[in-house]
Amino acid sequence: NAGVTQTPKFRILKIGQSMTLQCTQDMNHNYMYWYRQDPGMGLKLIYYSVGAGITDKGEVPNGYNVSRSTTEDFPLRLELAAPSQTSVYFCASSYSIDLLSTDTQYFGPGTRLTVL
Amino acid sequence: KQEVTQIPAALSVPEGENLVLNCSFTDSAIYNLQWFRQDPGKGLTSLLLIQSSQREQTSGRLNASLDKSSGRSTLYIAASQPGDSATYLCAVKKNSNYQLIWGAGTKLIIKP
């Protein structure tokens, strides 16, 4: 299994440009997440999904959109890039977020995005 | 509001030493706490997960403890090796929902 894969690894955008960060998992996990990590800070949840067709906002959703048409894919869309969106973006997946579950999240390698 | 703090932000020790990384949280109403390892250019890897009803978990040279009443967790690494060099993050899971609340991490360097 490849686990969680993300593309691209690096990207430089100009202010106002748009792009989609791709995320795919091959573990048949129902739950998927997008985080951003700013230098010296903890991860912040942007959006999450509990299954195909179902998404919800996390802690910092402004400026982003997501869709989940299949179990495997969970792309993150930036419509009008701003310098404040310069960050490292991580996609993760898990089998369950049930409070009784001990299942953890599996992370992709990240996408480093710079907006100039 | 739950806040998670990790001190120190960076730590450098000689190979072979035993060391302790600290994680503190402001709200004791957590469901579990996890320790992750982050290597440069790679994603995060879960190391240990402690349920709120547990006091510690062990995996190889790693031991994580949890004291909910004082809002603290420690990650103990025995006989450190250069391969242990990485950033270690802790995250707590709230009782009420799915969210993990993350600390900023401790960057650990083990000198050969």
Side-chain angles (χ1 to χ4, degrees):
Chain A
N1 287 350
V4 181
T5 58
Q6 292 183 239
T7 57
K9 285 185 172 24
F10 304 93
R11 184 72 184 269
I12 298 176
L13 284 181
K14 295 182 179 179
I15 295 172
Q17 286 186 321
S18 300
M19 77 164 294
T20 299
L21 282 66
Q22 301 292 343
C23 175
T24 300
Q25 54 91 9
D26 62 0
M27 297 174 282
N28 201 33
H29 285 167
N30 288 326
Y31 301 92
M32 297 187 73
Y33 317 82
W34 274 106
Y35 292 95
R36 60 176 287 171
Q37 184 181 34
D38 299 325
M41 305 288 287
L43 278 70
K44 301 285 187 184
L45 183 66
I46 305 172
Y47 271 95
Y48 70 102
S49 169
V50 301
I54 306 171
T55 62
D56 207 347
K57 297 177 181 179
E59 186 179 358
V60 290
N62 291 345
Y64 307 94
N65 280 299
V66 293
S67 60
R68 182 97 181 269
S69 57
T70 66
T71 298
E72 295 78 20
D73 300 306
F74 190 40
L76 178 71
R77 178 83 177 162
L78 284 70
E79 290 293 349
L80 293 171
S84 61
Q85 293 177 305
T86 294
S87 190
V88 180
Y89 291 84
F90 289 101
C91 179
S93 72
S94 67
Y95 180 70
S96 171
I97 59 170
D98 187 283
L99 286 178
L100 297 180
S101 172
T102 60
D103 188 52
T104 189
Q105 296 181 15
Y106 297 84
F107 284 78
T111 294
R112 185 175 296 274
L113 176 67
T114 302
V115 182
L116 301 174
Chain B
K1 179 182 176 184
Q2 179 70 276
E3 294 183 357
V4 179
T5 303
Q6 293 185 248
I7 295 174
L11 182 63
S12 180
V13 300
E15 179 179 6
E17 281 199 6
N18 303 324
L19 59 99
V20 174
L21 305 181
N22 297 297
C23 173
S24 62
F25 46 95
T26 55
D27 185 349
S28 62
I30 66 170
Y31 189 74
N32 63 38
L33 182 145
Q34 297 184 62
W35 283 92
F36 289 82
R37 171 183 173 140
Q38 183 176 22
D39 292 285
K42 297 184 180 180
L44 286 72
T45 303
S46 178
L47 297 173
L48 290 165
L49 183 153
I50 311 176
Q51 299 288 4
S52 64
S53 58
Q54 298 174 321
R55 296 299 302 267
E56 64 177 348
Q57 282 285 340
T58 298
S59 176
R61 294 182 295 107
L62 305 180
N63 176 277
S65 68
L66 175 64
D67 184 342
K68 278 182 55 179
S69 61
S70 65
R72 297 182 63 181
S73 176
T74 61
L75 179 66
Y76 175 82
I77 302 177
S80 59
Q81 304 170 357
D84 295 330
S85 297
T87 297
Y88 291 82
L89 297 96
C90 68
V92 301
K93 189 169 189 177
K94 297 167 64 172
N95 277 328
S96 58
N97 62 31
Y98 60 87
Q99 286 209 46
L100 289 175
I101 309 299
W102 296 79
T106 294
K107 184 175 182 179
L108 177 64
I109 297 174
I110 307 299
K111 298 175 290 186

